[in-house]
Amino acid sequence: MMTNLFSVFDPSTNFLKLNWLSTFLFLLLIPYSFWFFPNRMQKLWFNILLTLHKEFKTLMGPQSLQGSTIIFLSLLFFIMFNNSLGLIPYIFTSTSHMSITLSLALPLWFSFMLFGWMNHSQHMFAHLVPQGTPPALMPFMVCIETVSNMIRPGTLAVRLAANMIAGHLLLTLLGNQGPLNSTPVLSMLILVQILLLVLESAVALIQSYVFAILSTLYSSEVI
């Protein structure tokens, strides 16, 4: 009986010989800063971060606060991670739900507006009337610009959620037609789904980039 009790600690598995894999798992937890030379993945990651940082810094202008691009870089990679994770079967795409996208867009827009009206009120009022507007159209332009400014968080949230829902919904509808079709049609259906999956992978990256770029542009208007 004691042999059976301690047999769970024997180095034996029935599926794969991965007994000693847990011994090396600590290597995955070591931060990259402890390595003497950065690996290729780290170099690629740094190059991507540096390129995006330069682009965001250019959009925000020279008057932007130092380190402000970190917010938008974190936002971009957070959305990109969730969008890409949603392409895996049986994993819910959180960015396809309005509660997540609106929770990301609304605080950003509100903080931009609060900062702009508290520190640059004259600029915010002048922004309501585009340059060169005829005097007769100024009241209408103020209404139009105010409405367009108010719906910005909604457009950000709906754009991201709708793009993520559309592709997944199309893949689901095509996948449900598989058992009803013959073998040639099924082969064509699988090919179409593979192409749609590639397209969805591109959409997952592009939509995260669009969300971060638009947030950067909105912040540059109030600085």
Side-chain angles (χ1 to χ4, degrees):
M1 184 173 180
M2 294 300 291
T3 304
N4 293 333
L5 179 62
F6 290 98
S7 61
V8 294
F9 300 105
D10 293 341
S12 60
T13 54
N14 297 324
F15 182 58
L16 293 174
K17 300 302 180 181
L18 301 178
N19 302 306
W20 307 109
L21 182 63
S22 60
T23 309
F24 303 100
L25 286 179
F26 77 97
L27 295 175
L28 300 177
L29 304 177
I30 295 180
Y32 283 131
S33 58
F34 285 91
W35 294 95
F36 190 72
F37 290 107
N39 55 21
R40 294 180 180 179
M41 285 298 295
Q42 188 178 5
K43 289 182 178 179
L44 177 62
W45 183 257
F46 283 160
N47 288 333
I48 293 174
L49 284 177
L50 184 60
T51 303
L52 291 173
H53 167 72
K54 291 180 179 178
E55 185 169 355
F56 288 167
K57 192 70 174 177
T58 303
L59 291 174
M60 297 180 69
Q63 298 179 351
S64 61
L65 300 176
Q66 188 176 5
S68 55
T69 56
I70 298 177
I71 300 175
F72 303 104
L73 286 174
S74 304
L75 181 67
L76 186 147
F77 288 112
F78 173 76
I79 297 175
M80 184 185 299
F81 174 77
N82 283 278
N83 290 350
S84 303
L85 200 65
L87 298 175
I88 302 175
Y90 300 105
I91 293 182
F92 173 67
T93 311
S94 60
T95 48
S96 65
H97 205 283
M98 284 291 293
S99 61
I100 297 296
T101 57
L102 200 59
S103 298
L104 294 174
L106 194 58
L108 281 174
W109 173 83
F110 184 74
S111 60
F112 296 155
M113 291 297 102
L114 191 62
F115 176 84
W117 286 106
M118 290 180 63
N119 298 280
H120 307 286
S121 302
Q122 187 175 359
H123 171 74
M124 296 297 290
F125 278 115
H127 189 69
L128 296 176
V129 181
Q131 188 175 4
T133 304
L137 297 179
M138 285 184 180
F140 300 100
M141 291 305 299
V142 170
C143 296
I144 293 173
E145 289 294 328
T146 304
V147 172
S148 65
N149 200 357
M150 295 291 291
I151 65 174
R152 279 180 177 179
T155 55
L156 276 177
V158 171
R159 181 187 293 108
L160 178 58
N163 279 280
M164 298 311 299
I165 288 176
H168 288 68
L169 186 61
L170 188 57
L171 285 171
T172 303
L173 292 176
L174 291 176
N176 292 335
Q177 302 301 319
L180 306 177
N181 295 316
S182 58
T183 303
V185 178
L186 184 61
S187 302
M188 184 63 68
L189 190 62
I190 293 175
L191 179 62
V192 172
Q193 282 194 313
I194 292 175
L195 295 176
L196 281 175
L197 189 60
V198 174
L199 178 63
E200 276 297 294
S201 302
V203 169
L205 302 180
I206 292 172
Q207 287 303 314
S208 59
Y209 178 76
V210 169
F211 195 98
I213 285 292
L214 289 177
S215 301
T216 306
L217 291 175
Y218 294 159
S219 68
S220 64
E221 293 181 359
V222 301
I223 295 176

